Amino acid sequence: MNNSPKEQSNCTFIPVKHLETIKVFEKKSDCDIWNAFNKGDEMAFNYLYRTYVHKLFQFGSQYSRDSSLVKDSIQNLFIYLRKKRGSLGEVTNIKGYLFKSIQREIIRNIKSNTSFEGFEENFLESHFQLEVSPEVSFIKNESEDERKIQVQQALNQLTTKQRKAILLFYEEELSYKEIAEIMNFSEVKTARKLIYRALASLKKYIKPTSY
Amino acid sequence: MSNYTNHKKYEDYEFEDFLSDEFFVQWVKSHSENNLHFWEKWLISNPQKREMVTEAASFVRSIQYKENFEFTDEAYIEVFENILKVDLETPSISSTHSKKEVWYSFFSVRRVAAILLIGFSCWALFETQNFSESEKAPIEWITKVNEAGKKTVIHLNDGTVIHLNSNSKISYPKTFTDSIRVISMEGEAFFDVEKETRPFIVEVNDAKVEVLGTSFNVNSVVEGKLEVALVSGKVKVNDKLGNQVMLDPMEMIVLEDNGKIYKQDFDVRSVTGWKDKYLVFTDDDFDTVVRKIKNWYGVEISTSGKFNTQWAYTGQYFDESLENVLEGIAQTSKIKYKIKGKEVQITH
C-alpha cells in the first residue's frame, strides 16, 4: 500500500464519506442491499465486498490452504455476480447465499486443479476445526480450565459435518435454514438435528454441573 | 419470534435448549433492537435463569475457528481491482444508450476504488498511531460538571449520547480527531456510543475503556473502585498496570485500586436505571443510601442514632420526590426523617 505523506493528509475527510455509505447500507435489509446491487449500485457492491470478503476468505480457506486458489475463487464469484447484475434472483440472506456460492466455486476449482478423486470426503476430515476461545476463562478457576481441555477433546471428536454446522451456527450466526442450504440438506430439520446431536455429544462437558 | 421444533416456553428452557435456539444465539452474537429489547426484559422477569443464560452465552461466544486465515490488505485491494478491471474490458451491450451508462459506471467505479484506497491508507495510519500521541494535538476541550441533584444528557457530534450522573464530570474535545474519540470522566456516566471505525475511549481513574459501538455504564463514584457494566456490544478495559480485559454483554468488571480485578453479573435496572430516573437501592448499607440520596436530590443529610451493620435497604423509586423516597425507606426500615429545605435529618 502507498503510505506517502500526501495520501495521509488526504484522509482528513474522505473516510468519513466512505463511512457514511457503509452506514447507509448497514441499516438496510439484505433484500434491499441485494436489489441495489442487482440494479448496478456501485456502493452496494462496495458494501458487499467490504462486509463479506474477509468472511468468505476464512470460510473458503477451510477447504483449501492454497490461498491463491481461494482468492481467485472469491474474485471469480464477484465477477460472475457483477456480470449477472440485472438478472439476479432475490436473496434474503446475503451471507448464506455467498457462502453457498463460494463453496461451490472453490470445490469446482479444487476439482479442476487436482485429479484427486473423492476429495470431498477425505479432504474435509482435517477441516473446519473449531476451538474454545481462551478469552472466556478469564474469571474462572483452574477446574474450569480443566473442563475447557475436556471440551476441546470433545470438540475434536465431532464429525466434520457437525463441526461445520456448529461453526456456521455459532461463529457465522447463520440460521438452520441457511445451514441446510449450504450443506445441501433438503430439509431444514436435518440441520437442526445435526446441531442437536453435536450438542448432545458435548453435553456432559459443556453443561454446568450446577443444573 | 422464530420457529422452533420444540414449543417450550423460554422459562422452561434448559441449557441445551438455549444453545440450539436461533433467536438466543442471534442475541448473544449480535444485538439488534429486536432481540435486545426482548432478552433484557426476559432476564429481568426471569432472574432464576440468569446463571444458565450466562453459561450458555459464554459457550456460544467461545466457539471459533481453530485456524484463522487472514485476507491481507494487499489481497483485498488486488482482488477488488481485478473484479473492476473485468468490467472495463468487456463493455457489454453496444447500443448508444448503454454506452453512456458504461462511461458512467467507469467513473463511479474509479471513484469507489479511490475512496477505498485512501480509506485503507488511513486505517493503516491510525492503526500505527499511539493514543497518547493523538491526545497531544492542540484540541479545544469542553468540560461539563454536574453537581449533586443534577443529571444531564450530552449529545456528541459523532452521534454518541452520554448520560452524566450527578456529582460527575466529563471532558471531551469540541470535535474529535479523525482517528480517535477520547473523552475523560469522573463519577458516573452511561454511554451509548455511535458505531463507527474510530475507536471510542473513556479515560477514568488511570484506566481506559475502549469501545466501538456499544452501550455501557462507567461508575467510579466509590473511592478506589471502578465499575464498567456492559449492556450491549463489546468493550475492552485496560487498567493502569496494562491488564486488558474484554467484556461481553451483561458482564460487569470491577477494578479495585489494590490491583484486584473481577467480573460479575449485574442487574440492568440497578446499574443503569439512574439514567431513566430510577433511583435504585439494592441491599445498600446506610452510608450508601445516604450517599445516593445526597447525590440524587442535592441535599445535605445529617444523621443521628445508631445504625448497625446489619441495616440494609432494597427498593426502587421512579421519578419520586425526596419526601416519598424517605417515607418509603422509613416504612420498612424504622428511620425517622425531617426535611428542611435542602437539609435532611435522619434518626434511627
Side-chain angles (χ1 to χ4, degrees), chain B residues 288-345:
Chain B
T288 307
V289 169
V290 167
R291 192 195 68 229
K292 283 184 177 174
I293 294 174
K294 271 164 75 175
N295 282 350
W296 196 272
Y297 296 101
V299 292
E300 284 306 315
I301 296 181
S302 56
T303 59
S304 55
K306 275 190 180 167
F307 291 90
N308 64 25
T309 48
Q310 301 291 308
W311 195 95
Y313 181 71
T314 299
Q316 285 189 13
Y317 296 90
F318 174 70
D319 208 11
E320 278 295 354
S321 67
L322 173 63
E323 188 169 5
N324 285 348
V325 171
L326 288 170
E327 185 58 37
I329 300 173
Q331 277 172 7
T332 53
S333 309
K334 294 180 186 166
I335 60 156
K336 285 185 183 129
Y337 65 94
K338 253 185 215 158
I339 306 173
K340 279 185 200 161
K342 284 270 165 198
E343 279 169 38
V344 179
Q345 274 189 339

Side-chain angles (χ1 to χ4, degrees), chain A residues 56 59 73-74 77 98-106:
Chain A
L56 288 172
F59 176 72
S73 304
I74 292 172
L77 172 62
L98 291 178
F99 269 43
K100 191 175 161 63
S101 308
I102 198 66
Q103 175 180 272
R104 196 191 305 124
E105 180 67 22
I106 285 173

